[in-house]
Amino acid sequence: MACFVAPTVAAIIATAVRKKVSLKYHFDWLLLMLWGGVIVLVVDHLASGELILRFPFLTRSLSDIVPEIIKVGIPMTIAIFSAWIIMVFLSLKIKKPKNNLLTNH
């Protein structure tokens, strides 16, 4: 139910430090994956009634929320970071072909 909390915190922190990260690391990819995942999870939780638009917002007690963040939210956030690291690694290793369309006949 509260699995979106971990990627939300990661997305907020990543957004705050984005200007300090070199463009070659495609940090925008990470931000898109984090914020996109957060949006999808919030919509899903709203649709299922696990998240409400009035205080206390979450429909379960804190004792139910913390284990879910640890068991689901953190592994999900690690998976997002892992996918981004693999994507950046591959983008740095793949050589970009030169655009020689006019010279190659």
Side-chain angles (χ1 to χ4, degrees), residues 35-88:
W35 284 116
V38 168
I39 291 167
V40 168
L41 287 167
V42 167
V43 169
D44 173 64
H45 286 30
L46 282 170
S48 66
E50 296 174 339
L51 184 64
I52 52 176
L53 295 176
R54 62 184 186 285
F55 187 79
F57 305 111
L58 300 170
T59 58
R60 293 194 184 158
S61 68
L62 189 61
S63 63
D64 294 333
I65 293 169
V66 173
E68 183 169 352
I69 293 170
I70 293 169
K71 291 178 185 173
V72 181
I74 291 174
M76 184 172 26
T77 305
I78 291 170
I80 292 169
F81 273 89
S82 299
W84 169 66
I85 290 168
I86 291 167
M87 290 167 56
V88 170

